[in-house]
Every structure is written in structure tokens, then in C-alpha cells.
Amino acid sequence: MARALEGKKGLVVGIANDKSIAWGCARAFHDAGAELAVTYLNEKAEAYVRPLAEQVKAPILLPLDVRDDKQLEALFKAIEKTWGKLDFLLHAIAFAPKEDLQGRVADCSRQGFLTAMDISCYSFIRLAHLAEPLMRDGGCLLTTTYYGGEKVVEHYGLMGPVKAALEGTVKYLAAEFGEKKIRVNAISPGPIATRAAGGIAHFDELLELAKQKSPEHELICTDCVGAYARFLASDEARLVTGSTAYVDAGFNIMAA
Ligand code: NAD
């Protein structure tokens, strides 16, 4: 797998700090020879993300709040100007307002639902739309989902329906982009203690359950997710599209 991404250009959206799933993926992409564009959410995040972007020698580092169309356009303009193409992108972001996330789905507000869907799901559609013209020789679009989009996971709440929509989106985009050899896949990691995970109530219990119930009795690390993402971004995965790939030590095959 060494240098499997030599010559490839990739966009990584979702690094908040060195615990982020996107960071584990960025490192794997870089180690395999890819050149990366990296984004950070805002000025506060930049302080954490800039040194990491420097570690992977990213020639493009730009702010991106996915709700901001101007920032999205500026990002893709910079990619076009610098590389003239894009081979893969990773979308590893999610957000839901805490009060909506930590209550019942039945009680969530319209605004909370729309915000969660916009940032965590629609943004993948938008990135795919902007990437399409830069993927003239085919490409790979990756997103990150969770088992709670497929089965009801206690305390996952509103993010469950949002991830279900994201997984559906992966299938529809894969079907639409297939002829252009643009592959679309989701990676579904087991629970990892990241900043976003901190917003989910009783997350420690989820970690404990994952360890107890998974056949391998191990917690997932961001490097494990990175290794799988690197494979999916490489030409070796050229016939893999529309899938949700579990990196969860086998948790998903176990009955409750
Ligand atoms: P993280 O906190 O490190 O990353 C979440 C990212 O989302 C941050 O970089 C944040 O800046 C970004 N983000 C939030 N709102 C944004 C916006 N408006 N515009 C642009 N970026 C925005 O946490 P993580 O766990 O690495 O999360 C990455 C992805 O992995 C998420 O989709 C999450 O649902 C998914 N995931 C996480 C786990 C887990 O247990 N940590 C498990 C399965 C899937």
C-alpha cells in the first residue's frame, strides 16, 4: 500500500485537532504520497489545524464553514488554480445543536434538524457537486458515518436520521457519478473519543460497549480509519462504490 496515492491530489475537510478522524486519514493519505488541501472551520480552529497541515505539507490551507457558499467557491477555485484537478476528497464533519442532539428525536426543533442535516449531510452533496468538474479522470468521494444511522443507538438521537440520510446520499451519488468513474463511499468507524463525540451523552458507555461486544474487543483508532480511507482513495479500490465500509472491530455483526 506504500505510495498508493503518489501523484494524487486530495481535499480533507474535518480536521479539528490531532484526535480528529480526518487527521488520521490525512496522515495516511500523505504517507501514501498524496498532496493535500486542508480546511479549518474558523480562526479558533486554525491554531490547531495549521501546524497539522504543515506536518503533511499541504499546499492549500483555507477556512471552510460549509454553510458559507463564498468559502466553498474560494476553496474550489484555489484547488483548480493550484492543481487543475482533484482526485479524492474526504468529508469528515458533523454537527447538531446540543439541545437537539441530547433530547428525543421526537422533540427536536425544525432549526436544529435543518442545521444538522445541512452541515452533516447536504455539505457532502455540495462538495460532490463542486468536485465533479475537477474529477475529469474519475475520482473518489469519501464521507464518514456511524452505525447509529442504521440501527437505533441509545443517545445518538438526531444524528441517527442524519447519518441515515447521508448513507442514502452516498448510494444516489454513486449511481449518478458511476459513468464518470467517480466513486462514492462511506466509512463507518466504531466510537472514537474525538471532540465531536464529546457532544453525545454517555459516550463513555458507547466506548465500553464497543469494546465488550465487538468480536475483536478493541477500540478503533484514527489510524485504522486512515488506512481504510487510503485504500478507498487508491486505484486498488477502483470497483468499490456506493458502499458503507465498517471499521469497527466487527461490532456491526453482533446481535444486541
Ligand atoms: P471532530 O470533532 O474531530 O471533527 C468534526 C469536524 O466537523 C470538526 O473538524 C469541525 O470543525 C467540523 N465541522 C463542524 N461544523 C462544521 C461546519 N459548519 N463547517 C465545516 N466543518 C464543520 O470529530 P470526529 O469524530 O473526527 O468527526 C468526524 C466525522 O466522523 C463526523 O462525521 C462524525 O459523525 C463521524 N464519526 C465519528 C465517530 C466517533 O466516534 N468519533 C464514529 C463514527 C463516525
Side-chain angles (χ1 to χ4, degrees):
M1 215 42 195
R3 314 305 283 179
L5 301 179
E6 197 74 63
K8 291 200 187 289
K9 319 290 186 196
L11 166 63
V12 175
V13 178
I15 302 177
N17 54 39
D18 64 357
K19 308 279 182 302
S20 294
I21 289 173
W23 173 238
C25 295
R27 263 203 327 244
F29 296 148
H30 172 71
D31 290 349
E35 216 175 328
L36 300 178
V38 167
T39 68
Y40 54 89
L41 176 59
N42 51 30
E43 247 176 63
K44 201 171 149 207
E46 185 184 355
Y48 297 93
V49 181
R50 183 171 286 279
L52 300 176
E54 282 167 4
Q55 261 188 61
V56 294
K57 301 183 172 55
I60 301 171
L61 174 66
L62 284 170
L64 179 65
D65 182 323
V66 290
R67 291 168 295 184
D68 186 331
D69 285 335
K70 284 207 174 75
Q71 287 187 349
L72 274 164
E73 279 161 28
L75 170 65
F76 278 86
K77 270 206 183 107
I79 290 172
E80 185 163 21
K81 194 167 165 223
T82 310
W83 293 327
K85 69 159 190 168
L86 186 68
D87 295 298
F88 65 90
L89 73 76
L90 171 76
H91 166 273
I93 68 172
F95 177 81
K98 199 165 185 175
E99 57 280 17
D100 294 294
L101 180 62
Q102 297 197 345
R104 301 188 311 168
V105 172
D107 301 327
C108 81
S109 68
R110 172 178 286 141
Q111 198 47 54
F113 180 83
L114 293 177
T115 299
M117 282 293 270
D118 186 17
I119 294 176
S120 319
C121 179
Y122 177 70
S123 61
F124 186 54
I125 297 177
R126 193 73 205 152
L127 288 173
H129 175 82
L130 291 164
E132 184 184 6
L134 292 174
M135 293 186 163
R136 286 178 290 273
D137 306 324
C140 170
L141 309 172
L142 292 173
T143 187
T144 41
T145 184
Y146 176 60
Y147 186 62
E150 189 186 322
K151 300 277 190 224
V152 176
V153 172
E154 211 179 346
H155 307 302
Y156 200 56
L158 174 57
M159 282 313 295
V162 172
K163 292 297 193 190
L166 182 65
E167 291 177 24
T169 299
V170 165
K171 292 178 193 150
Y172 277 80
L173 291 178
E176 291 172 1
F177 287 168
E179 274 186 13
K180 293 188 172 173
K181 301 292 178 199
I182 299 173
R183 299 178 293 104
V184 190
N185 291 288
I187 298 180
S188 184
I192 303 175
T194 60
R195 184 179 295 164
I200 294 161
H202 304 278
F203 189 74
D204 287 354
E205 292 168 22
L206 219 55
L207 288 172
E208 193 49 43
L209 181 69
K211 201 165 179 181
Q212 274 175 23
K213 209 182 99 177
S214 65
E216 294 194 292
H217 299 298
E218 270 196 52
L219 289 177
I220 304 308
C221 62
T222 57
D223 286 351
C224 310
V225 183
Y228 210 107
R230 177 184 59 198
F231 163 68
L232 286 173
S234 79
D235 293 341
E236 289 179 82
R238 71 185 185 285
L239 295 179
V240 181
T241 194
S243 75
T244 293
Y246 298 100
V247 181
D248 66 352
F251 184 88
N252 71 92
I253 64 164
M254 304 301 287

